[in-house]
Amino acid sequence: MITPNCRPLLIGSLPITNHQQAADIILRYTPEIPLWPQLPKNPREGMVRQFLTGFPGLIDSNKGFWIDTEAEDFAVSMTAFYEEYMAVEANHDLLKDSRFRLAADSASGFSVLLDTLHLRKHDSYTVKGQVTGPITTGIGAKTGQGESIFYDDNLRDMLVKHLTMKGCWQTRQIQQRAKIKTPIIFIDEPAMVSFGSSAFVGITRELVTESMTEIISGIRATGALVGVHICANGDWAPVLQSKADIISFDAYSYFENLLLFKEELTSFLQRGGILAWGIVPTGDPEIISKETVTSLLDKFKTQLNQLTALGFVKESLLQRVFITPSCGTGSLPLNTALDVLEMNSTLSYEIQKKFMTP
């Protein structure tokens, strides 16, 4: 079992285009728990497109991407998808060369990181992977008629299974190539707390819960710890009541909102849930520039006291906390992104020294 002990952890994206440079940066700031870099400045590495490679009917052009459900062979493609899905679900050894692998055209950061770990004989505590969640992907990916695929029952079912196996593929590769028994796989899904808003009309709590439950359970079955990363605010009950092992949240902006769900949060922590505490801001460069390790340490202390007031022992709670930025840094200027990573790493060290050293 993984014990976080306030180790630093990152969310994924960086504002550069070179994967080796990104891997070097990640190993500099989070050597114990590196993750593979997502570089949205590269074509096909955007949050929605990145994990669609291998999905039936996917069309890429200089005008964008979409799912061509009206192609003559689409029904045949769907049948082939389900046949392959059932085969790899029954035998995870078949995942390696399946359609569910992370391809070089959209996620070469994965292989770059694992190759780097191997070449340098780098000893990691664990390794983190990630996949965009089904609601965010399903709303953003559209058919040729401009309709979000999440609203179509058949397309949504395929998408959920597709993303599940993208996570399972990562788990197996990390286990085999990096010799990590228990990888961490995050599902990046800000929409999980946003259903019911105008942007997600028609998406019910039941649809959200059903989709996320299938993905979380599927990835956990391969031996990974599964986290859900949410950098938004809304109804936290579904994610806290889910089977997720880790909840990654924007503590800088929304900590008090999370505390409103006292009963669900208490139950999550009592069952051994882990918090990825997003205390370092990433949204606004001006706000980032005003913060220091000292100011963030004070903020963390205040929040920790609020949480322990619910009845948790501080020492045991800290053992189940990762220190993270509130979100990825892919949209920031590079210097600002590096400032975030530096603050996150140093803050983690200071928290361990101040609160966990006997």
Side-chain angles (χ1 to χ4, degrees):
M1 182 64 180
I2 287 174
T3 305
N5 283 332
C6 294
R7 289 180 172 91
L9 187 68
L10 299 179
I11 302 305
S13 63
L14 288 168
I16 54 180
T17 57
N18 184 288
H19 294 94
Q20 186 60 62
Q21 180 188 3
D24 292 341
I25 289 171
I26 287 165
L27 286 170
R28 184 190 316 157
Y29 291 106
T30 52
E32 287 189 279
I33 311 179
L35 80 169
W36 63 271
Q38 297 169 278
L39 308 182
K41 289 184 178 293
N42 290 328
R44 301 184 182 178
E45 290 196 48
M47 190 173 186
V48 174
R49 170 61 184 85
Q50 186 161 46
F51 299 99
L52 285 174
T53 299
F55 192 81
L58 177 64
I59 301 293
D60 274 297
S61 78
N62 55 9
K63 295 181 180 179
F65 64 90
W66 66 91
I67 307 302
D68 186 3
T69 57
E70 296 190 340
E72 289 184 5
D73 63 348
F74 186 71
V76 175
S77 298
M78 287 181 63
T79 300
F81 172 89
Y82 279 109
E83 288 175 347
E84 190 167 0
Y85 168 79
M86 288 187 289
V88 299
E89 185 186 35
N91 183 2
H92 285 155
D93 288 339
L94 299 176
L95 275 166
K96 181 179 178 181
D97 298 315
S98 72
R99 71 168 69 224
F100 304 110
R101 66 189 182 278
L102 295 188
D105 72 331
S106 56
S108 62
F110 184 87
S111 60
V112 169
L113 176 70
L114 293 195
D115 287 345
T116 301
L117 295 178
H118 176 73
L119 289 171
R120 298 181 185 177
K121 295 180 172 57
H122 185 86
D123 186 19
S124 304
Y125 182 66
T126 186
V127 174
K128 174 182 173 288
Q130 53 271 331
V131 63
T132 307
I135 302 99
T136 297
T137 305
I139 294 298
K142 301 183 186 300
T143 67
Q145 292 71 49
E147 299 169 347
S148 295
I149 66 174
F150 191 85
Y151 295 107
D152 182 287
D153 291 345
N154 292 326
L155 296 177
R156 182 176 65 252
D157 182 66
M158 282 198 298
L159 179 64
V160 169
K161 290 174 168 54
H162 180 78
L163 295 174
T164 299
M165 289 305 160
K166 290 283 186 179
C168 292
W169 182 91
Q170 293 178 59
T171 301
R172 294 286 287 181
Q173 288 293 301
I174 293 170
Q175 289 168 335
Q176 293 168 3
R177 294 179 58 188
K179 309 303 180 185
I180 297 294
K181 181 180 180 181
T182 309
I184 295 173
I185 305 294
F186 270 23
I187 304 168
D188 297 331
E189 189 51 279
M192 192 168 183
V193 297
S194 303
F195 65 90
S197 67
S198 58
F200 301 97
V201 174
I203 296 181
T204 64
R205 178 186 291 232
E206 290 71 27
L207 277 180
V208 171
T209 301
E210 178 183 301
S211 300
M212 290 295 289
T213 296
E214 183 172 342
I215 294 184
I216 292 170
S217 298
I219 298 174
R220 287 187 76 195
T222 60
L225 286 186
V226 179
V228 178
H229 167 64
I230 298 172
C231 53
N233 184 45
D235 185 350
W236 286 91
V239 66
L240 290 168
Q241 293 169 339
S242 74
K243 294 182 179 180
D245 301 292
I246 307 167
I247 303 299
S248 170
F249 69 106
D250 181 349
Y252 186 85
S253 300
Y254 302 126
F255 184 82
E256 285 73 18
N257 302 81
L258 182 66
L259 288 185
L260 295 176
F261 295 84
K262 176 182 176 180
E263 182 178 340
E264 293 86 353
L265 179 58
T266 300
S267 296
F268 172 76
L269 293 171
Q270 286 177 338
R271 70 170 173 84
I274 294 169
L275 293 175
W277 206 299
I279 189 69
V280 182
T282 58
D284 186 334
E286 186 174 345
I287 291 175
I288 295 168
S289 68
K290 293 178 180 178
E291 295 292 353
T292 64
V293 171
T294 299
S295 67
L296 293 176
L297 187 63
D298 289 341
K299 189 178 184 73
F300 178 80
K301 181 179 179 180
T302 299
Q303 293 179 351
L304 181 64
N305 289 337
Q306 289 177 274
L307 194 53
T308 55
L310 298 180
F312 294 97
V313 177
K314 184 178 295 185
E315 290 74 17
S316 61
L317 181 62
L318 287 169
Q319 291 176 354
R320 291 185 283 119
V321 167
F322 288 114
I323 302 302
T324 78
S326 60
C327 199
T329 60
S331 62
L332 295 172
L334 179 57
N335 287 342
T336 304
L338 295 178
D339 287 343
V340 168
L341 271 55
E342 175 68 34
M343 277 197 291
N344 192 72
S345 176
T346 306
L347 179 63
S348 166
Y349 172 77
E350 291 297 327
I351 289 172
Q352 291 177 53
K353 184 174 71 171
K354 185 177 181 64
F355 296 110
M356 302 189 71
T357 302

